[in-house]
Structures are given as C-alpha cells and as structure tokens.
Amino acid sequence: FRLLIPTCVLTGGLMSAMCCVADEPTDPKSVPAFPYGEVPEQKPDMPLSRAMQRVYDGTYAGLDCARNELFSRFKYTPLKGLDYSNGDGTVSRRDATKIIKHDGMFYVWYTKRHTATPPNYDGGANDTIPSRDWDLAEIWYATSTDGFTWQEQGVAIKRNEKPNPGWRSVSTPDILVWQGKYYLYYQAYLAMPGSRTSSATNGDDCPVSASVADSPDGPWTPCNKIVVDNGPPGSWDQYVIHDPYPLVRNGKIYLYYKGEMGGDPPVRAQGLAIADHPFGPFRKHPLNPVINSGHETSLFPFKEGLAALVSRHGLEHNTIQYAPDGVNFEVAAITGLMPIAPGAYVPDAFTDTKDGRGITWGLCHFRNIKRDEGKSHSMLARFDCDLSLDVHDIEM
Ligand code: AAL
C-alpha cells in the first residue's frame, strides 16, 4: 500500500480508495459512497444473517449517507504548486496541520526537511545528516485559494537555539486559533530522533512545544518551554508525545496527542490534555488514552461531539470513531485506505460548536520508503471524503 500509493500520485492518477486508480480523473470531490458495489434491495421479511443485517443497517458502513453519516471512502489527488521534490530524498514535506481559511486563503503548515543528504536510519546521522525523515526539520507553510494549487510561503518555525525545546528538530505541527491569536504546536526534539534507546518506540522520544503569532503569516514567537510533557515512568505516554492536535471545546483547549507504549510492535494510542491557556498548564485526562488505536491524530467537531479518523495501527485501525463528549469514543464506521497524517479543513475547529459540520477534504502525505536506496522522503497530497453534514467556510 505504501509503495503503491506514491506511484499513483506521482504518475498523476486519481486515486479512489478501495477501487484502485481511475483511468480518467473525474470530479475529485465525488467520493464513491459504498465499498461493496451493488447490494440487493432489502425486501420485507427477507431472512438476514447478523452480518447482512449490519450492512442494511449501516452499522459500520454507509449504504447511503442517511444510514451512516460517519462512513466515507477517500480519494487522493496530487497537489499543484508544491513540487514533489526531485526524489533524491533531500527534500521532504509531511504531517500537514488542519487547514484554516483567512482572508479568502486556505493556510496549511507542515514539516519540511531540506538537508544535504537523505536520512540515514542506520546510525550514520550527525549534526547535518538526519536520522529520520522528520529530523533536522522546520515548520513551513503554504496558501491556496482552491486546495489543489498551493504556494509555499516560507518558514514559520525554525529550529530553536540549543538547549531550548526544538533545537534538534521541529516537526509535526498543528494550528490553534484562540482569542484572536494563532498558535502552532509541534514536536520539539531535545535529542536526535532515534537516538534514545529506551523502548520499542525506536527512540523517537519528544515532548510538545508551541509558538504564538498575531497573524497566520507570522512572525512566530516560541514559548521556549515544554507545554505537554512525557508521562511518568510506566505510564502509557512516557516515551513520546506526538502529533499534538488542538481544538476548542467547552471553553477550553482540548489537545489530542499520540503516545506510544513499548512492545513489538509498539502500542500506539491517543490521549487528551486540556488547558485554559494555549501555553498551559495542560492537564491530562484521567481516562487517557481515549482512543486505543491509530497513528497521527485527526479529529473534527461532529454534531454535539467529536469524530476521529483512526488509521494505520491498533485493534481499531481503519475506523472512524465518535464521542459525544470528546472522551468516550466508539467505532462509528469501518473503512480502508485512509489518509496518512491527515490535516483536514475543519472550519469549526475553534468555534466551540456543539453542532459540528464535519469535513470534506484536507491534505495528507505519502511516503517513499526506499530506505535502502537512500531516498526516503514524503510528499503532500489532497484527500477528499464525504464526512460532511453541511460544511460552511468560516474565516479565522
Ligand atoms: C509521524 C508522526 C510523528 C512521528 C513521525 C513524525 O507520522 O506520528 O511525526 O514522530 O511520524
């Protein structure tokens, strides 16, 4: 899958999840509705197995939107404007934030690595050779009027001065708009990713820091402290705090994040930390972790609660989940070929809504993982989905 998708993207094919590559690009916003093709019409008194009952009920899938509003397939489209690098592994763009609209423009931030050499995963990294795709990275941003063609605007967050958080690398950002100011949260490395051998997490240990600006164009001022720290020894999030993802809910900042326990393969889960101020203090929720699977965080207001795209890892991977309270998540839909590291356009992310409208598109990334050829890098792409009740633009 990881190898197939970048090929499709790079060759310009329009990728329709679960039905492979369409020959002719159609409207990228038209996402196929149901994974099984034609299903016989349900007749009165038709005997049904429990499995077929679930199909007709739309328990986990969507015969049509009315039967499961949180089911979607995903469609992928290459971006214009952001080049996909020359493919030699020295340039990488990945881990897009959620997208906001400001002054008629869509804004996205992402990890950008531009190093003289590709990453060296085998112990050959140093001050200038990255150890991972997201090592020695900065946070950059781009703008767009249509979500398909993007203009890279430049760096937003540079690596910090040693020994401040983020001196080695800053990566995997996400955006918060709070009381008229803009906040970027990001993984702030205090050591080379991969250099800590504490666990089966591949040493990717790091906490979260943040920066503030008066405008989405910056300039950004770092708070120069850790705002969400690793848990105590033995806790589920003792090794990493990854993928910080802030939303506004109940008048507070709800920041979701990924933690990793040890084990082989490592157990990944997602937790919640809540604060009254963007720089904290953040209090971790007593029921953490609140999502038992997944990888990169991606949530959005839906009706009175929050929905989450839960992909890639764990018992409940490839699901879309829902929690009316933002804490007690249940599987709402089972799907496949979900976007990697999705950052959706979430217009009501910061409006403290109890009438969330869902999402229809965003950016994600695809990875070229040809490490043996020394070309490991990632590229951003667009995804479209049908997880919308009735999305309206909201300017931030
Ligand atoms: C991503 C995220 C975090 C990890 C690495 C870069 O997909 O989960 O950001 O550290 O991989």
Side-chain angles (χ1 to χ4, degrees):
F1 161 44
R2 283 189 193 169
L3 291 175
L4 170 69
I5 302 287
T7 311
C8 300
V9 169
L10 285 171
T11 53
L14 184 64
M15 183 73 192
S16 174
M18 301 187 74
C19 62
C20 243
V21 185
D23 291 337
E24 292 295 321
T26 51
D27 175 6
K29 289 180 186 157
S30 66
V31 180
F34 188 67
Y36 304 137
E38 290 296 313
V39 175
E41 188 189 339
Q42 185 180 11
K43 305 249 169 45
D45 304 325
M46 196 163 113
L48 290 174
S49 64
R50 291 283 290 276
M52 287 309 292
Q53 185 69 56
R54 288 197 296 278
V55 170
Y56 286 111
D57 289 350
T59 304
Y60 293 124
L63 264 181
D64 54 55
C65 277
R67 298 202 201 182
N68 192 330
E69 295 162 320
L70 279 171
F71 175 81
S72 183
R73 306 204 294 174
F74 297 89
K75 192 173 255 189
Y76 298 94
T77 310
L79 301 184
K80 292 186 183 141
L82 286 183
D83 72 87
Y84 287 116
S85 91
N86 57 12
D88 68 0
T90 60
V91 177
S92 193
R93 292 185 189 82
R94 52 178 295 149
D95 287 305
T97 62
K98 66 174 88 66
I99 292 158
I100 65 166
K101 195 166 194 189
H102 173 80
D103 262 354
M105 300 287 281
F106 294 112
Y107 279 69
V108 70
W109 293 260
Y110 45 88
T111 307
K112 183 177 179 186
R113 176 179 58 76
H114 190 173
T115 44
T117 64
N120 184 313
Y121 286 80
D122 304 319
N126 58 28
D127 286 353
T128 54
I129 300 175
S131 66
R132 297 285 183 273
D133 193 20
W134 53 95
D135 187 20
L136 297 175
E138 298 177 317
I139 313 292
W140 283 54
Y141 77 114
T143 56
S144 171
T145 52
D146 63 4
F148 290 95
T149 301
W150 292 83
Q151 287 82 41
E152 190 159 73
Q153 299 292 349
V155 66
I157 312 285
K158 292 185 175 164
R159 290 161 58 197
N160 215 335
E161 297 291 320
K162 203 172 182 177
N164 286 313
W167 67 264
R168 172 70 199 189
S169 191
V170 286
S171 82
T172 324
D174 204 68
I175 184 77
L176 166 73
V177 185
W178 176 260
Q179 296 178 354
K181 289 189 186 290
Y182 300 80
Y183 295 84
L184 277 172
Y185 294 80
Y186 42 86
Q187 296 179 190
Y189 283 87
L190 294 154
M192 179 198 294
S195 65
R196 297 192 173 171
T197 53
S198 50
S199 69
T201 61
N202 277 330
D204 195 20
D205 306 17
C206 70
V208 163
S209 190
S211 295
V212 61
D214 291 328
S215 148
D217 292 298
W220 296 89
T221 306
C223 68
N224 283 334
K225 65 174 189 174
I226 291 164
V227 296
V228 186
D229 207 348
N230 298 81
S235 61
W236 75 281
D237 58 355
Q238 67 176 312
Y239 297 123
V240 304
I241 308 288
H242 282 173
D243 302 272
Y245 190 93
L247 295 165
V248 174
R249 190 167 170 81
N250 298 330
K252 297 181 187 300
I253 299 147
Y254 273 44
L255 186 142
Y256 293 83
Y257 63 95
K258 179 189 81 187
E260 287 189 16
M261 304 174 221
D264 186 15
V267 176
R268 298 186 166 107
Q270 296 178 10
L272 167 62
I274 300 173
D276 295 314
H277 185 275
F279 292 155
F282 278 90
R283 295 171 302 283
K284 292 183 182 174
H285 198 281
L287 295 183
N288 276 352
V290 297
I291 293 176
N292 66 25
S293 302
H295 193 115
E296 297 91 355
T297 48
S298 184
L299 300 98
F300 53 91
F302 197 81
K303 297 185 175 172
E304 82 257 41
L306 295 179
L309 303 180
V310 180
S311 65
R312 291 180 66 189
H313 301 293
L315 293 169
E316 296 176 359
H317 69 285
N318 280 343
T319 64
I320 299 167
Q321 305 204 4
Y322 180 68
D325 59 359
V327 174
N328 289 286
F329 284 86
E330 300 274 2
V331 172
I334 300 173
T335 183
L337 291 183
M338 298 182 77
I340 296 175
Y345 174 45
V346 189
D348 50 14
F350 314 120
T351 59
D352 204 354
T353 181
K354 289 287 160 53
D355 182 27
R357 301 283 84 201
I359 58 170
T360 58
W361 68 277
L363 299 188
C364 59
H365 71 236
F366 293 101
R367 288 182 61 194
N368 177 336
I369 54 170
K370 291 183 176 174
R371 290 182 193 173
D372 48 342
E373 294 176 19
K375 293 178 179 171
S376 178
H377 66 284
S378 305
M379 59 204 91
L380 297 174
R382 172 170 167 137
F383 71 90
D384 284 88
C385 60
D386 181 11
L387 292 167
S388 156
L389 294 168
D390 183 13
V391 175
H392 296 288
D393 282 348
I394 298 178
E395 297 256 346
M396 287 288 151

